[in-house]
mmCIF file of all heavy atoms in Angstrom:
data_model
loop_
_atom_site.group_PDB
_atom_site.id
_atom_site.type_symbol
_atom_site.label_atom_id
_atom_site.label_comp_id
_atom_site.label_asym_id
_atom_site.label_seq_id
_atom_site.Cartn_x
_atom_site.Cartn_y
_atom_site.Cartn_z
ATOM 1 N N TRP A 1 0.864 -1.193 -0.012
ATOM 2 C CA TRP A 1 0.025 0.005 -0.028
ATOM 3 C C TRP A 1 0.908 1.226 0.002
ATOM 4 O O TRP A 1 2.038 1.198 0.352
ATOM 5 C CB TRP A 1 -0.943 0.016 1.191
ATOM 6 C CG TRP A 1 -0.287 0.003 2.558
ATOM 7 C CD1 TRP A 1 0.004 -1.110 3.325
ATOM 8 C CD2 TRP A 1 0.191 1.112 3.283
ATOM 9 N NE1 TRP A 1 0.611 -0.695 4.460
ATOM 10 C CE2 TRP A 1 0.751 0.653 4.466
ATOM 11 C CE3 TRP A 1 0.205 2.487 3.066
ATOM 12 C CZ2 TRP A 1 1.329 1.475 5.428
ATOM 13 C CZ3 TRP A 1 0.777 3.333 4.022
ATOM 14 C CH2 TRP A 1 1.337 2.813 5.229
ATOM 15 N N VAL A 2 0.253 2.378 -0.409
ATOM 16 C CA VAL A 2 0.937 3.682 -0.391
ATOM 17 C C VAL A 2 0.016 4.709 0.149
ATOM 18 O O VAL A 2 -1.196 4.648 0.024
ATOM 19 C CB VAL A 2 1.429 4.080 -1.822
ATOM 20 C CG1 VAL A 2 2.573 3.141 -2.288
ATOM 21 C CG2 VAL A 2 0.298 4.156 -2.799
ATOM 22 N N HIS A 3 0.556 5.756 0.781
ATOM 23 C CA HIS A 3 -0.198 6.925 1.110
ATOM 24 C C HIS A 3 -0.347 7.749 -0.175
ATOM 25 O O HIS A 3 0.573 7.922 -0.943
ATOM 26 C CB HIS A 3 0.547 7.806 2.163
ATOM 27 C CG HIS A 3 0.431 7.258 3.557
ATOM 28 N ND1 HIS A 3 1.556 7.036 4.356
ATOM 29 C CD2 HIS A 3 -0.650 6.849 4.289
ATOM 30 C CE1 HIS A 3 1.166 6.549 5.494
ATOM 31 N NE2 HIS A 3 -0.114 6.431 5.489
ATOM 32 N N THR A 4 -1.569 8.264 -0.374
ATOM 33 C CA THR A 4 -1.825 8.993 -1.655
ATOM 34 C C THR A 4 -1.428 10.436 -1.591
ATOM 35 O O THR A 4 -0.691 10.946 -2.470
ATOM 36 C CB THR A 4 -3.349 8.866 -1.988
ATOM 37 O OG1 THR A 4 -4.105 9.446 -0.923
ATOM 38 C CG2 THR A 4 -3.742 7.438 -2.261
ATOM 39 N N LEU A 5 -1.854 11.144 -0.550
ATOM 40 C CA LEU A 5 -1.486 12.560 -0.392
ATOM 41 C C LEU A 5 -1.281 12.806 1.092
ATOM 42 O O LEU A 5 -2.122 13.414 1.801
ATOM 43 C CB LEU A 5 -2.629 13.488 -0.888
ATOM 44 C CG LEU A 5 -2.895 13.503 -2.406
ATOM 45 C CD1 LEU A 5 -4.188 14.203 -2.668
ATOM 46 C CD2 LEU A 5 -1.797 14.259 -3.079
ATOM 47 N N PRO A 6 -0.140 12.385 1.645
ATOM 48 C CA PRO A 6 0.073 12.457 3.096
ATOM 49 C C PRO A 6 0.133 13.858 3.647
ATOM 50 O O PRO A 6 0.078 14.032 4.862
ATOM 51 C CB PRO A 6 1.414 11.676 3.317
ATOM 52 C CG PRO A 6 2.093 11.783 2.022
ATOM 53 C CD PRO A 6 1.015 11.742 0.972
ATOM 54 N N GLY A 7 0.252 14.848 2.801
ATOM 55 C CA GLY A 7 0.273 16.229 3.296
ATOM 56 C C GLY A 7 -1.080 16.695 3.778
ATOM 57 O O GLY A 7 -1.200 17.703 4.541
ATOM 58 N N ILE A 8 -2.158 16.005 3.377
ATOM 59 C CA ILE A 8 -3.477 16.453 3.732
ATOM 60 C C ILE A 8 -4.461 15.305 4.112
ATOM 61 O O ILE A 8 -5.479 15.563 4.706
ATOM 62 C CB ILE A 8 -4.133 17.305 2.591
ATOM 63 C CG1 ILE A 8 -5.355 18.086 3.111
ATOM 64 C CG2 ILE A 8 -4.467 16.419 1.388
ATOM 65 C CD1 ILE A 8 -5.847 19.095 2.110
ATOM 66 N N THR A 9 -4.109 14.035 3.794
ATOM 67 C CA THR A 9 -4.996 12.950 4.089
ATOM 68 C C THR A 9 -4.275 11.700 4.465
ATOM 69 O O THR A 9 -3.097 11.483 3.997
ATOM 70 C CB THR A 9 -5.973 12.654 2.868
ATOM 71 O OG1 THR A 9 -6.849 11.573 3.218
ATOM 72 C CG2 THR A 9 -5.178 12.276 1.658
ATOM 73 N N SER A 10 -4.903 10.863 5.273
ATOM 74 C CA SER A 10 -4.285 9.538 5.612
ATOM 75 C C SER A 10 -4.725 8.432 4.704
ATOM 76 O O SER A 10 -4.450 7.240 4.954
ATOM 77 C CB SER A 10 -4.676 9.200 7.080
ATOM 78 O OG SER A 10 -6.078 9.065 7.176
ATOM 79 N N GLN A 11 -5.375 8.759 3.606
ATOM 80 C CA GLN A 11 -5.924 7.788 2.657
ATOM 81 C C GLN A 11 -4.783 6.893 2.156
ATOM 82 O O GLN A 11 -3.646 7.318 1.859
ATOM 83 C CB GLN A 11 -6.541 8.467 1.470
ATOM 84 C CG GLN A 11 -7.182 7.534 0.435
ATOM 85 C CD GLN A 11 -7.598 8.249 -0.823
ATOM 86 O OE1 GLN A 11 -6.823 8.964 -1.412
ATOM 87 N NE2 GLN A 11 -8.842 8.116 -1.174
ATOM 88 N N ARG A 12 -5.140 5.610 1.986
ATOM 89 C CA ARG A 12 -4.159 4.628 1.473
ATOM 90 C C ARG A 12 -4.678 4.010 0.165
ATOM 91 O O ARG A 12 -5.916 3.801 0.061
ATOM 92 C CB ARG A 12 -3.854 3.527 2.475
ATOM 93 C CG ARG A 12 -3.152 3.993 3.743
ATOM 94 C CD ARG A 12 -2.924 2.813 4.671
ATOM 95 N NE ARG A 12 -2.228 3.221 5.885
ATOM 96 C CZ ARG A 12 -1.785 2.377 6.819
ATOM 97 N NH1 ARG A 12 -2.030 1.125 6.712
ATOM 98 N NH2 ARG A 12 -1.141 2.862 7.869
ATOM 99 N N ALA A 13 -3.788 3.680 -0.729
ATOM 100 C CA ALA A 13 -4.149 2.917 -1.902
ATOM 101 C C ALA A 13 -3.490 1.534 -1.723
ATOM 102 O O ALA A 13 -2.325 1.421 -1.585
ATOM 103 C CB ALA A 13 -3.597 3.614 -3.169
ATOM 104 N N HIS A 14 -4.366 0.494 -1.760
ATOM 105 C CA HIS A 14 -3.949 -0.882 -1.535
ATOM 106 C C HIS A 14 -3.782 -1.533 -2.942
ATOM 107 O O HIS A 14 -4.755 -1.538 -3.689
ATOM 108 C CB HIS A 14 -4.956 -1.637 -0.686
ATOM 109 C CG HIS A 14 -5.236 -0.985 0.637
ATOM 110 N ND1 HIS A 14 -4.544 -1.361 1.780
ATOM 111 C CD2 HIS A 14 -6.056 0.027 0.983
ATOM 112 C CE1 HIS A 14 -4.982 -0.615 2.788
ATOM 113 N NE2 HIS A 14 -5.906 0.231 2.315
ATOM 114 N N VAL A 15 -2.612 -2.102 -3.185
ATOM 115 C CA VAL A 15 -2.293 -2.639 -4.478
ATOM 116 C C VAL A 15 -2.327 -4.167 -4.487
ATOM 117 O O VAL A 15 -1.722 -4.795 -3.606
ATOM 118 C CB VAL A 15 -0.924 -2.155 -4.957
ATOM 119 C CG1 VAL A 15 -0.550 -2.721 -6.308
ATOM 120 C CG2 VAL A 15 -0.853 -0.626 -4.961
ATOM 121 N N TYR A 16 -2.978 -4.724 -5.517
ATOM 122 C CA TYR A 16 -3.120 -6.204 -5.611
ATOM 123 C C TYR A 16 -2.697 -6.622 -7.068
ATOM 124 O O TYR A 16 -2.938 -5.953 -8.027
ATOM 125 C CB TYR A 16 -4.597 -6.599 -5.403
ATOM 126 C CG TYR A 16 -5.122 -6.412 -3.992
ATOM 127 C CD1 TYR A 16 -5.542 -5.140 -3.568
ATOM 128 C CD2 TYR A 16 -5.078 -7.424 -3.069
ATOM 129 C CE1 TYR A 16 -5.980 -4.936 -2.281
ATOM 130 C CE2 TYR A 16 -5.521 -7.221 -1.772
ATOM 131 C CZ TYR A 16 -5.977 -5.985 -1.397
ATOM 132 O OH TYR A 16 -6.435 -5.781 -0.127
ATOM 133 N N LEU A 17 -2.153 -7.843 -7.108
ATOM 134 C CA LEU A 17 -1.858 -8.507 -8.380
ATOM 135 C C LEU A 17 -2.845 -9.676 -8.492
ATOM 136 O O LEU A 17 -2.982 -10.532 -7.598
ATOM 137 C CB LEU A 17 -0.433 -9.022 -8.384
ATOM 138 C CG LEU A 17 -0.028 -9.766 -9.665
ATOM 139 C CD1 LEU A 17 -0.045 -8.847 -10.879
ATOM 140 C CD2 LEU A 17 1.432 -10.343 -9.490
ATOM 141 N N ALA A 18 -3.625 -9.693 -9.584
ATOM 142 C CA ALA A 18 -4.662 -10.708 -9.792
ATOM 143 C C ALA A 18 -4.281 -11.550 -11.022
ATOM 144 O O ALA A 18 -4.002 -11.014 -12.094
ATOM 145 C CB ALA A 18 -6.028 -10.044 -10.025
ATOM 146 N N LYS A 19 -4.319 -12.891 -10.863
ATOM 147 C CA LYS A 19 -4.003 -13.757 -11.940
ATOM 148 C C LYS A 19 -5.083 -14.838 -12.061
ATOM 149 O O LYS A 19 -6.034 -14.892 -11.308
ATOM 150 C CB LYS A 19 -2.635 -14.435 -11.714
ATOM 151 C CG LYS A 19 -1.409 -13.489 -11.718
ATOM 152 C CD LYS A 19 -0.140 -14.276 -11.553
ATOM 153 C CE LYS A 19 1.058 -13.356 -11.610
ATOM 154 N NZ LYS A 19 2.339 -14.129 -11.477
ATOM 155 N N ARG A 20 -4.918 -15.712 -13.122
ATOM 156 C CA ARG A 20 -5.872 -16.776 -13.432
ATOM 157 C C ARG A 20 -7.241 -16.148 -13.594
ATOM 158 O O ARG A 20 -8.196 -16.428 -12.876
ATOM 159 C CB ARG A 20 -5.874 -17.841 -12.342
ATOM 160 C CG ARG A 20 -4.513 -18.562 -12.216
ATOM 161 C CD ARG A 20 -4.516 -19.537 -11.020
ATOM 162 N NE ARG A 20 -5.476 -20.596 -11.238
ATOM 163 C CZ ARG A 20 -5.886 -21.411 -10.268
ATOM 164 N NH1 ARG A 20 -5.391 -21.301 -9.085
ATOM 165 N NH2 ARG A 20 -6.769 -22.382 -10.518
ATOM 166 N N LEU A 21 -7.336 -15.250 -14.563
ATOM 167 C CA LEU A 21 -8.547 -14.455 -14.764
ATOM 168 C C LEU A 21 -9.540 -15.244 -15.577
ATOM 169 O O LEU A 21 -9.234 -16.089 -16.467
ATOM 170 C CB LEU A 21 -8.205 -13.151 -15.524
ATOM 171 C CG LEU A 21 -7.166 -12.244 -14.865
ATOM 172 C CD1 LEU A 21 -7.002 -10.960 -15.666
ATOM 173 C CD2 LEU A 21 -7.503 -11.952 -13.435
ATOM 174 N N LYS A 22 -10.818 -14.917 -15.319
ATOM 175 C CA LYS A 22 -11.952 -15.505 -16.064
ATOM 176 C C LYS A 22 -12.864 -14.351 -16.489
ATOM 177 O O LYS A 22 -13.258 -13.511 -15.691
ATOM 178 C CB LYS A 22 -12.731 -16.506 -15.205
ATOM 179 C CG LYS A 22 -13.907 -17.096 -15.971
ATOM 180 C CD LYS A 22 -14.643 -18.078 -15.043
ATOM 181 C CE LYS A 22 -15.893 -18.668 -15.765
ATOM 182 N NZ LYS A 22 -16.579 -19.614 -14.911
ATOM 183 N N LYS A 23 -13.167 -14.283 -17.799
ATOM 184 C CA LYS A 23 -13.997 -13.193 -18.339
ATOM 185 C C LYS A 23 -15.453 -13.370 -18.000
ATOM 186 O O LYS A 23 -16.019 -14.469 -18.077
ATOM 187 C CB LYS A 23 -13.820 -13.106 -19.867
ATOM 188 C CG LYS A 23 -14.388 -11.822 -20.431
ATOM 189 C CD LYS A 23 -13.528 -10.615 -20.075
ATOM 190 C CE LYS A 23 -13.973 -9.351 -20.808
ATOM 191 N NZ LYS A 23 -15.116 -8.687 -20.211
ATOM 192 N N GLY A 24 -16.045 -12.270 -17.593
ATOM 193 C CA GLY A 24 -17.474 -12.202 -17.321
ATOM 194 C C GLY A 24 -18.121 -10.950 -17.874
ATOM 195 O O GLY A 24 -17.650 -10.443 -18.907
ATOM 196 N N ARG A 25 -19.085 -10.403 -17.161
ATOM 197 C CA ARG A 25 -19.751 -9.185 -17.615
ATOM 198 C C ARG A 25 -19.415 -8.046 -16.720
ATOM 199 O O ARG A 25 -19.256 -8.192 -15.474
ATOM 200 C CB ARG A 25 -21.299 -9.383 -17.590
ATOM 201 C CG ARG A 25 -21.797 -10.427 -18.568
ATOM 202 C CD ARG A 25 -23.319 -10.539 -18.470
ATOM 203 N NE ARG A 25 -23.953 -9.289 -18.799
ATOM 204 C CZ ARG A 25 -25.258 -9.091 -18.704
ATOM 205 N NH1 ARG A 25 -26.062 -10.048 -18.297
ATOM 206 N NH2 ARG A 25 -25.802 -7.914 -19.086
ATOM 207 N N VAL A 26 -19.230 -6.848 -17.311
ATOM 208 C CA VAL A 26 -18.932 -5.632 -16.543
ATOM 209 C C VAL A 26 -20.211 -5.163 -15.842
ATOM 210 O O VAL A 26 -21.330 -5.431 -16.302
ATOM 211 C CB VAL A 26 -18.335 -4.520 -17.414
ATOM 212 C CG1 VAL A 26 -17.076 -4.998 -18.045
ATOM 213 C CG2 VAL A 26 -19.360 -4.106 -18.464
ATOM 214 N N HIS A 27 -20.006 -4.440 -14.738
ATOM 215 C CA HIS A 27 -21.153 -3.824 -13.986
ATOM 216 C C HIS A 27 -20.760 -2.411 -13.577
ATOM 217 O O HIS A 27 -20.642 -2.119 -12.364
ATOM 218 C CB HIS A 27 -21.460 -4.681 -12.762
ATOM 219 C CG HIS A 27 -21.803 -6.109 -13.082
ATOM 220 N ND1 HIS A 27 -23.029 -6.488 -13.537
ATOM 221 C CD2 HIS A 27 -21.026 -7.248 -12.985
ATOM 222 C CE1 HIS A 27 -23.042 -7.824 -13.704
ATOM 223 N NE2 HIS A 27 -21.828 -8.269 -13.388
ATOM 224 N N ARG A 28 -20.591 -1.573 -14.555
ATOM 225 C CA ARG A 28 -20.101 -0.239 -14.290
ATOM 226 C C ARG A 28 -21.217 0.712 -13.901
ATOM 227 O O ARG A 28 -22.389 0.467 -14.226
ATOM 228 C CB ARG A 28 -19.380 0.330 -15.560
ATOM 229 C CG ARG A 28 -18.158 -0.425 -15.957
ATOM 230 C CD ARG A 28 -17.579 0.038 -17.267
ATOM 231 N NE ARG A 28 -16.455 -0.765 -17.617
ATOM 232 C CZ ARG A 28 -16.073 -0.970 -18.917
ATOM 233 N NH1 ARG A 28 -16.717 -0.354 -19.896
ATOM 234 N NH2 ARG A 28 -15.027 -1.752 -19.210
ATOM 235 N N GLU A 29 -20.808 1.798 -13.202
ATOM 236 C CA GLU A 29 -21.750 2.815 -12.807
ATOM 237 C C GLU A 29 -22.176 3.637 -14.049
ATOM 238 O O GLU A 29 -21.388 3.750 -14.968
ATOM 239 C CB GLU A 29 -21.199 3.740 -11.761
ATOM 240 C CG GLU A 29 -20.741 3.014 -10.469
ATOM 241 C CD GLU A 29 -21.924 2.507 -9.652
ATOM 242 O OE1 GLU A 29 -23.085 2.958 -9.931
ATOM 243 O OE2 GLU A 29 -21.759 1.629 -8.792
ATOM 244 N N PRO A 30 -23.391 4.288 -14.005
ATOM 245 C CA PRO A 30 -23.811 5.039 -15.198
ATOM 246 C C PRO A 30 -22.857 6.155 -15.555
ATOM 247 O O PRO A 30 -22.777 6.535 -16.755
ATOM 248 C CB PRO A 30 -25.190 5.568 -14.711
ATOM 249 C CG PRO A 30 -25.639 4.619 -13.686
ATOM 250 C CD PRO A 30 -24.408 4.171 -13.014
#
């Protein structure tokens, strides 16, 4: 993980590596 903007927020970005993928259907927001 990394801090995104530590000068103003404690927000973290968590990073993942995903393998053995299977294709399905997207479900995006409008």
Side-chain angles (χ1 to χ4, degrees):
W1 60 266
V2 293
H3 284 128
T4 58
L5 291 167
I8 195 170
T9 180
S10 61
Q11 183 190 53
R12 294 180 178 185
H14 303 266
V15 179
Y16 293 83
L17 180 62
K19 294 183 177 181
R20 299 174 62 192
L21 304 184
K22 180 181 179 181
K23 191 72 172 81
R25 296 181 60 184
V26 299
H27 303 281
R28 295 173 185 154
E29 300 292 343

